Every structure is written in structure tokens, then in C-alpha cells.
Amino acid sequence: MKALIVDDEPLARRELRRLLAREPSVEVVGEAEHVEDARRQVAALDPDLIFLDVEMPGGTGFDLLVQLDHVPHVIFTTAYDQHAVRAFDVGAVDYLLKPIEPERLAAAVARLPKPRLTAVATLERLFVRDGGRCLVVPLHEVRLLEAEGNYVRLYWGHERPLVGRSLAHLESRLDAQRFVRASRGRIFNLDFVESLEDGDGGRLHVQLRGGPEVEVSRRQARTFRARLSP
């Protein structure tokens, strides 16, 4: 499992790398000392796991998570215990307090899921900043993605968070077996389709469970009907 260490303290990075040398399942492929550096290295190295400090110059570990298109597994490593609840709210595997004990590190690594072999990594969740909150949104629970300029509105339960990505950018990482393009500005989740109704000019009206109704353009309706045909 490829790991990236993100911490602004060189001694902390060195100590964590030393401890991880005892873990044969983890390969440290890089280090970063602040959020922007970490964002670039995640894009370049595509790690499976981030060992992430919370308090760093220029932003927190939580700030990093909301900037990533694909979020690896996260184990927080910090000297502050007050962020633990928030860390687990965003789906962290574990929360280790410095100085890190070898036994606690080994237990955290053992808790990691086994890596899956996939040709193309599909996007499974998004970290979204919504006001003062940091939300972890499982994409299989999102019924509709709707473009708003260079942003995307997610219809997720009763929430409507806004993601700082374009619809085209997200579409390239979505599960194509689940998500269907309705028009230039909308993509819907097949799991939430409640009913279908023919519209004017070859268009199609799709009622999603929990709303709203989505109009599928004539071009996309032809593709969708062909997909539904046995």
C-alpha cells in the first residue's frame, strides 16, 4: 500500500518513516510539509494512504481533504486530541496522537482494508466544505449532480452541498454503471429512478426518489433507452 506522509515537522516525518519500516504492507512513496505540497503529491503519486497532520502552516489536514478529487485512506497523526471527533466524521481510519506508539501504529495499519485491483479508480466519495462543516459524501448516495457554472450541486438526502469541480471533471471519475448523463448540466443515479415517462420530441422524464424530476435530452434519451433494452 503506497503511503504519503504529510507533516510540517521534519523530525515527525522521519520518526513516522522509521516506524513504518516495520510494516511490510506499507511503502512510503513521498513526504509533504504543507497542504499545497500535499495536494500536488497526491495528484502525482496517487497514494493509497495518507498519514496526515492536522495543524500545518497554510491550512489544516481537513483543508487538504476537501481539495482532493480522490481521497485515499487517511490516518491522522497529530499532537492535538481535540480534532478526533471531526476526523472520524470524515471517515478517517484512525487518529494517532504524537508521540506515536509502535503498537498503535501497527493496529491502525491492520485496520486498513485490503487494496482492490481496478483498471480505473472510480470516485467513491467526496469531501465537501459546506459552510463551517466538512462533509464526507458517499457518491452512491447522491441521486443527482447538477452543474452551476464551474461548480456542481449534489442532491444527497436533504443536503445540497456545492463542490468546487466541473460536471465534466467529475463525470470522468464516476461509476458509469450507476450514473447517467441526462443533459449538459445534469447527471443522475440509476439507483434512485422511481419512474420514467416519455416527453415531447423524443425526450424522457425521469422521476427520482426524493426528487426532483429530471428531463433527459433527446440525444441522451436515445442512449438511455438503448441501454435499457434487453
Side-chain angles (χ1 to χ4, degrees):
M1 183 171 284
K2 297 188 300 181
L4 175 69
I5 298 173
V6 182
D7 197 307
D8 63 307
E9 299 177 0
L11 288 177
R13 296 197 303 271
R14 189 179 309 141
E15 175 63 9
L16 183 54
R17 185 183 278 270
R18 183 185 71 82
L19 292 175
L20 287 170
R22 309 176 185 179
E23 301 295 333
S25 64
V26 177
E27 175 193 6
V28 178
V29 294
E31 299 180 8
E33 59 184 36
H34 53 75
V35 169
E36 181 57 29
D37 185 20
R39 187 187 63 78
R40 289 193 298 264
Q41 293 212 46
V42 168
L45 300 173
D46 190 26
D48 306 298
L49 169 65
I50 303 178
F51 289 94
L52 183 59
D53 195 8
V54 176
E55 302 290 345
M56 294 177 287
T60 69
F62 298 104
D63 294 327
L64 170 66
L65 297 180
V66 299
Q67 295 178 31
L68 300 180
D69 294 330
H70 170 65
V71 180
H73 300 296
V74 177
I75 295 176
F76 279 95
T77 56
T78 177
Y80 306 96
D81 61 3
Q82 65 264 35
H83 304 291
V85 172
R86 188 180 179 190
F88 287 113
D89 282 345
V90 299
V93 173
D94 211 332
Y95 189 92
L96 305 181
L97 289 175
K98 300 174 182 176
I100 297 172
E101 298 176 357
E103 296 78 11
R104 283 286 290 116
L105 178 62
V109 170
R111 198 171 292 121
L112 290 163
K114 301 299 181 184
R116 293 175 297 175
L117 298 177
T118 55
V120 179
T122 57
L123 198 59
E124 296 182 353
R125 56 183 179 161
L126 284 172
F127 286 82
V128 182
R129 187 177 297 283
D130 186 43
R133 301 181 301 165
C134 182
L135 305 174
V136 55
V137 181
L139 280 170
H140 71 273
E141 296 179 3
V142 173
R143 59 186 178 276
L144 179 67
L145 298 89
E146 187 172 59
E148 292 188 14
N150 291 323
Y151 294 81
V152 173
R153 181 75 63 185
L154 304 179
Y155 286 69
W156 174 51
H158 298 293
E159 304 278 358
R160 300 289 187 276
L162 198 62
V163 181
R165 306 285 191 277
S166 70
L167 191 64
H169 180 87
L170 288 178
E171 183 180 23
S172 65
R173 299 292 304 278
L174 293 174
D175 181 357
Q177 299 302 313
R178 171 175 282 135
F179 290 96
V180 175
R181 171 73 77 160
S183 60
R184 287 187 64 184
R186 284 178 156 184
I187 294 174
F188 65 93
N189 187 336
L190 283 172
D191 294 343
F192 287 85
V193 173
E194 195 169 69
S195 63
L196 304 171
E197 184 177 334
D198 290 329
D200 296 334
R203 293 177 175 82
L204 190 64
H205 295 278
V206 176
Q207 180 63 51
L208 299 180
R209 188 174 71 254
E213 181 180 276
V214 178
E215 183 178 84
V216 182
S217 70
R218 180 169 53 190
R219 177 183 175 185
Q220 297 297 336
R222 286 198 300 267
T223 302
F224 185 47
R225 289 187 178 98
R227 181 173 178 172
L228 294 177
S229 299

